mmCIF file with all atom_site columns, all heavy atoms in Angstrom:
data_model
loop_
_atom_site.group_PDB
_atom_site.id
_atom_site.type_symbol
_atom_site.label_atom_id
_atom_site.label_alt_id
_atom_site.label_comp_id
_atom_site.label_asym_id
_atom_site.label_entity_id
_atom_site.label_seq_id
_atom_site.pdbx_PDB_ins_code
_atom_site.Cartn_x
_atom_site.Cartn_y
_atom_site.Cartn_z
_atom_site.occupancy
_atom_site.B_iso_or_equiv
_atom_site.pdbx_formal_charge
_atom_site.auth_seq_id
_atom_site.auth_comp_id
_atom_site.auth_asym_id
_atom_site.auth_atom_id
_atom_site.pdbx_PDB_model_num
ATOM 1   N N   . THR A 1 12 ? 53.299 3.587  -1.538  1.00 0.00 ? 12 THR A N   1
ATOM 2   C CA  . THR A 1 12 ? 54.475 3.887  -2.285  1.00 0.00 ? 12 THR A CA  1
ATOM 3   C C   . THR A 1 12 ? 54.267 3.729  -3.712  1.00 0.00 ? 12 THR A C   1
ATOM 4   O O   . THR A 1 12 ? 53.457 2.904  -4.221  1.00 0.00 ? 12 THR A O   1
ATOM 5   C CB  . THR A 1 12 ? 55.707 3.094  -1.825  1.00 0.00 ? 12 THR A CB  1
ATOM 6   O OG1 . THR A 1 12 ? 55.426 1.741  -2.035  1.00 0.00 ? 12 THR A OG1 1
ATOM 7   C CG2 . THR A 1 12 ? 56.044 3.205  -0.416  1.00 0.00 ? 12 THR A CG2 1
ATOM 8   N N   . PRO A 1 13 ? 54.975 4.602  -4.587  1.00 0.00 ? 13 PRO A N   1
ATOM 9   C CA  . PRO A 1 13 ? 54.786 4.321  -5.924  1.00 0.00 ? 13 PRO A CA  1
ATOM 10  C C   . PRO A 1 13 ? 55.099 2.978  -6.485  1.00 0.00 ? 13 PRO A C   1
ATOM 11  O O   . PRO A 1 13 ? 56.097 2.380  -5.877  1.00 0.00 ? 13 PRO A O   1
ATOM 12  C CB  . PRO A 1 13 ? 55.733 5.473  -6.569  1.00 0.00 ? 13 PRO A CB  1
ATOM 13  C CG  . PRO A 1 13 ? 55.992 6.456  -5.485  1.00 0.00 ? 13 PRO A CG  1
ATOM 14  C CD  . PRO A 1 13 ? 55.864 5.513  -4.218  1.00 0.00 ? 13 PRO A CD  1
ATOM 15  N N   . ALA A 1 14 ? 54.480 2.431  -7.500  1.00 0.00 ? 14 ALA A N   1
ATOM 16  C CA  . ALA A 1 14 ? 54.692 1.143  -7.897  1.00 0.00 ? 14 ALA A CA  1
ATOM 17  C C   . ALA A 1 14 ? 56.070 0.970  -8.479  1.00 0.00 ? 14 ALA A C   1
ATOM 18  O O   . ALA A 1 14 ? 56.729 -0.121 -8.148  1.00 0.00 ? 14 ALA A O   1
ATOM 19  C CB  . ALA A 1 14 ? 53.597 0.648  -9.003  1.00 0.00 ? 14 ALA A CB  1
ATOM 20  N N   . CYS A 1 15 ? 56.618 1.798  -9.186  1.00 0.00 ? 15 CYS A N   1
ATOM 21  C CA  . CYS A 1 15 ? 57.942 1.669  -9.838  1.00 0.00 ? 15 CYS A CA  1
ATOM 22  C C   . CYS A 1 15 ? 58.061 2.916  -10.725 1.00 0.00 ? 15 CYS A C   1
ATOM 23  O O   . CYS A 1 15 ? 57.361 3.806  -10.730 1.00 0.00 ? 15 CYS A O   1
ATOM 24  C CB  . CYS A 1 15 ? 58.031 0.500  -10.664 1.00 0.00 ? 15 CYS A CB  1
ATOM 25  S SG  . CYS A 1 15 ? 57.234 0.498  -12.214 1.00 0.00 ? 15 CYS A SG  1
ATOM 26  N N   . GLY A 1 16 ? 59.318 2.984  -11.311 1.00 0.00 ? 16 GLY A N   1
ATOM 27  C CA  . GLY A 1 16 ? 59.522 4.031  -12.265 1.00 0.00 ? 16 GLY A CA  1
ATOM 28  C C   . GLY A 1 16 ? 59.055 3.544  -13.713 1.00 0.00 ? 16 GLY A C   1
ATOM 29  O O   . GLY A 1 16 ? 59.734 4.157  -14.667 1.00 0.00 ? 16 GLY A O   1
ATOM 30  N N   . GLY A 1 17 ? 58.104 2.790  -13.917 1.00 0.00 ? 17 GLY A N   1
ATOM 31  C CA  . GLY A 1 17 ? 57.697 2.376  -15.202 1.00 0.00 ? 17 GLY A CA  1
ATOM 32  C C   . GLY A 1 17 ? 56.974 3.412  -15.929 1.00 0.00 ? 17 GLY A C   1
ATOM 33  O O   . GLY A 1 17 ? 56.771 4.506  -15.380 1.00 0.00 ? 17 GLY A O   1
ATOM 34  N N   . PRO A 1 18 ? 56.673 3.168  -17.137 1.00 0.00 ? 18 PRO A N   1
ATOM 35  C CA  . PRO A 1 18 ? 55.939 4.305  -18.010 1.00 0.00 ? 18 PRO A CA  1
ATOM 36  C C   . PRO A 1 18 ? 54.727 4.752  -17.571 1.00 0.00 ? 18 PRO A C   1
ATOM 37  O O   . PRO A 1 18 ? 54.406 5.938  -17.897 1.00 0.00 ? 18 PRO A O   1
ATOM 38  C CB  . PRO A 1 18 ? 55.836 3.523  -19.348 1.00 0.00 ? 18 PRO A CB  1
ATOM 39  C CG  . PRO A 1 18 ? 55.980 2.127  -19.083 1.00 0.00 ? 18 PRO A CG  1
ATOM 40  C CD  . PRO A 1 18 ? 56.790 1.917  -17.978 1.00 0.00 ? 18 PRO A CD  1
ATOM 41  N N   . LEU A 1 19 ? 53.929 4.031  -16.672 1.00 0.00 ? 19 LEU A N   1
ATOM 42  C CA  . LEU A 1 19 ? 52.776 4.570  -16.098 1.00 0.00 ? 19 LEU A CA  1
ATOM 43  C C   . LEU A 1 19 ? 52.808 4.937  -14.636 1.00 0.00 ? 19 LEU A C   1
ATOM 44  O O   . LEU A 1 19 ? 51.860 5.189  -14.017 1.00 0.00 ? 19 LEU A O   1
ATOM 45  C CB  . LEU A 1 19 ? 51.700 3.564  -16.276 1.00 0.00 ? 19 LEU A CB  1
ATOM 46  C CG  . LEU A 1 19 ? 51.268 3.003  -17.753 1.00 0.00 ? 19 LEU A CG  1
ATOM 47  C CD1 . LEU A 1 19 ? 50.074 2.209  -17.641 1.00 0.00 ? 19 LEU A CD1 1
ATOM 48  C CD2 . LEU A 1 19 ? 51.039 4.318  -18.563 1.00 0.00 ? 19 LEU A CD2 1
ATOM 49  N N   . ALA A 1 20 ? 54.089 5.094  -14.147 1.00 0.00 ? 20 ALA A N   1
ATOM 50  C CA  . ALA A 1 20 ? 54.363 5.526  -12.695 1.00 0.00 ? 20 ALA A CA  1
ATOM 51  C C   . ALA A 1 20 ? 53.572 6.742  -12.521 1.00 0.00 ? 20 ALA A C   1
ATOM 52  O O   . ALA A 1 20 ? 53.654 7.656  -13.327 1.00 0.00 ? 20 ALA A O   1
ATOM 53  C CB  . ALA A 1 20 ? 55.727 5.623  -12.476 1.00 0.00 ? 20 ALA A CB  1
ATOM 54  N N   . GLY A 1 21 ? 52.980 7.032  -11.417 1.00 0.00 ? 21 GLY A N   1
ATOM 55  C CA  . GLY A 1 21 ? 52.199 8.201  -11.028 1.00 0.00 ? 21 GLY A CA  1
ATOM 56  C C   . GLY A 1 21 ? 50.658 8.181  -11.414 1.00 0.00 ? 21 GLY A C   1
ATOM 57  O O   . GLY A 1 21 ? 49.937 9.001  -10.976 1.00 0.00 ? 21 GLY A O   1
ATOM 58  N N   . LEU A 1 22 ? 50.287 7.116  -12.134 1.00 0.00 ? 22 LEU A N   1
ATOM 59  C CA  . LEU A 1 22 ? 48.893 7.023  -12.431 1.00 0.00 ? 22 LEU A CA  1
ATOM 60  C C   . LEU A 1 22 ? 48.363 5.984  -11.551 1.00 0.00 ? 22 LEU A C   1
ATOM 61  O O   . LEU A 1 22 ? 48.851 4.997  -11.198 1.00 0.00 ? 22 LEU A O   1
ATOM 62  C CB  . LEU A 1 22 ? 48.816 6.436  -13.913 1.00 0.00 ? 22 LEU A CB  1
ATOM 63  C CG  . LEU A 1 22 ? 49.215 7.404  -15.046 1.00 0.00 ? 22 LEU A CG  1
ATOM 64  C CD1 . LEU A 1 22 ? 49.122 6.541  -16.412 1.00 0.00 ? 22 LEU A CD1 1
ATOM 65  C CD2 . LEU A 1 22 ? 48.237 8.578  -15.123 1.00 0.00 ? 22 LEU A CD2 1
ATOM 66  N N   . ARG A 1 23 ? 46.985 6.364  -11.196 1.00 0.00 ? 23 ARG A N   1
ATOM 67  C CA  . ARG A 1 23 ? 46.310 5.325  -10.273 1.00 0.00 ? 23 ARG A CA  1
ATOM 68  C C   . ARG A 1 23 ? 45.162 4.856  -11.034 1.00 0.00 ? 23 ARG A C   1
ATOM 69  O O   . ARG A 1 23 ? 44.457 5.494  -11.750 1.00 0.00 ? 23 ARG A O   1
ATOM 70  C CB  . ARG A 1 23 ? 45.738 6.148  -9.107  1.00 0.00 ? 23 ARG A CB  1
ATOM 71  C CG  . ARG A 1 23 ? 44.738 5.316  -8.170  1.00 0.00 ? 23 ARG A CG  1
ATOM 72  C CD  . ARG A 1 23 ? 44.511 5.891  -6.821  1.00 0.00 ? 23 ARG A CD  1
ATOM 73  N NE  . ARG A 1 23 ? 45.615 5.582  -5.939  1.00 0.00 ? 23 ARG A NE  1
ATOM 74  C CZ  . ARG A 1 23 ? 45.669 5.829  -4.598  1.00 0.00 ? 23 ARG A CZ  1
ATOM 75  N NH1 . ARG A 1 23 ? 44.694 6.437  -4.031  1.00 0.00 ? 23 ARG A NH1 1
ATOM 76  N NH2 . ARG A 1 23 ? 46.682 5.545  -3.858  1.00 0.00 ? 23 ARG A NH2 1
ATOM 77  N N   . VAL A 1 24 ? 44.882 3.493  -10.769 1.00 0.00 ? 24 VAL A N   1
ATOM 78  C CA  . VAL A 1 24 ? 43.996 2.720  -11.507 1.00 0.00 ? 24 VAL A CA  1
ATOM 79  C C   . VAL A 1 24 ? 43.110 1.990  -10.419 1.00 0.00 ? 24 VAL A C   1
ATOM 80  O O   . VAL A 1 24 ? 43.727 1.339  -9.460  1.00 0.00 ? 24 VAL A O   1
ATOM 81  C CB  . VAL A 1 24 ? 44.495 1.635  -12.447 1.00 0.00 ? 24 VAL A CB  1
ATOM 82  C CG1 . VAL A 1 24 ? 43.423 0.673  -13.042 1.00 0.00 ? 24 VAL A CG1 1
ATOM 83  C CG2 . VAL A 1 24 ? 45.350 2.298  -13.536 1.00 0.00 ? 24 VAL A CG2 1
ATOM 84  N N   . LEU A 1 25 ? 41.746 2.101  -10.411 1.00 0.00 ? 25 LEU A N   1
ATOM 85  C CA  . LEU A 1 25 ? 40.939 1.374  -9.553  1.00 0.00 ? 25 LEU A CA  1
ATOM 86  C C   . LEU A 1 25 ? 40.283 0.212  -10.213 1.00 0.00 ? 25 LEU A C   1
ATOM 87  O O   . LEU A 1 25 ? 39.822 0.311  -11.360 1.00 0.00 ? 25 LEU A O   1
ATOM 88  C CB  . LEU A 1 25 ? 39.762 2.266  -9.132  1.00 0.00 ? 25 LEU A CB  1
ATOM 89  C CG  . LEU A 1 25 ? 40.062 3.575  -8.402  1.00 0.00 ? 25 LEU A CG  1
ATOM 90  C CD1 . LEU A 1 25 ? 38.799 4.352  -7.900  1.00 0.00 ? 25 LEU A CD1 1
ATOM 91  C CD2 . LEU A 1 25 ? 40.944 3.455  -7.163  1.00 0.00 ? 25 LEU A CD2 1
ATOM 92  N N   . ASP A 1 26 ? 40.556 -0.974 -9.719  1.00 0.00 ? 26 ASP A N   1
ATOM 93  C CA  . ASP A 1 26 ? 40.156 -2.246 -10.311 1.00 0.00 ? 26 ASP A CA  1
ATOM 94  C C   . ASP A 1 26 ? 39.024 -2.896 -9.635  1.00 0.00 ? 26 ASP A C   1
ATOM 95  O O   . ASP A 1 26 ? 39.095 -3.394 -8.632  1.00 0.00 ? 26 ASP A O   1
ATOM 96  C CB  . ASP A 1 26 ? 41.341 -3.214 -10.330 1.00 0.00 ? 26 ASP A CB  1
ATOM 97  C CG  . ASP A 1 26 ? 41.021 -4.578 -10.988 1.00 0.00 ? 26 ASP A CG  1
ATOM 98  O OD1 . ASP A 1 26 ? 40.067 -4.709 -11.580 1.00 0.00 ? 26 ASP A OD1 1
ATOM 99  O OD2 . ASP A 1 26 ? 41.931 -5.378 -10.705 1.00 0.00 ? 26 ASP A OD2 1
ATOM 100 N N   . PHE A 1 27 ? 37.901 -2.640 -10.280 1.00 0.00 ? 27 PHE A N   1
ATOM 101 C CA  . PHE A 1 27 ? 36.545 -3.255 -9.751  1.00 0.00 ? 27 PHE A CA  1
ATOM 102 C C   . PHE A 1 27 ? 36.280 -4.505 -10.690 1.00 0.00 ? 27 PHE A C   1
ATOM 103 O O   . PHE A 1 27 ? 35.193 -5.008 -10.728 1.00 0.00 ? 27 PHE A O   1
ATOM 104 C CB  . PHE A 1 27 ? 35.531 -2.365 -10.011 1.00 0.00 ? 27 PHE A CB  1
ATOM 105 C CG  . PHE A 1 27 ? 35.441 -1.150 -8.928  1.00 0.00 ? 27 PHE A CG  1
ATOM 106 C CD1 . PHE A 1 27 ? 36.157 0.020  -9.273  1.00 0.00 ? 27 PHE A CD1 1
ATOM 107 C CD2 . PHE A 1 27 ? 34.737 -1.210 -7.801  1.00 0.00 ? 27 PHE A CD2 1
ATOM 108 C CE1 . PHE A 1 27 ? 36.147 1.054  -8.478  1.00 0.00 ? 27 PHE A CE1 1
ATOM 109 C CE2 . PHE A 1 27 ? 34.764 -0.154 -6.868  1.00 0.00 ? 27 PHE A CE2 1
ATOM 110 C CZ  . PHE A 1 27 ? 35.373 1.017  -7.223  1.00 0.00 ? 27 PHE A CZ  1
#
Side-chain angles (χ1 to χ4, degrees):
T12 59
C15 76
L19 297 186
L22 292 172
R23 169 165 283 185
V24 177
L25 304 181
D26 175 11
F27 289 87

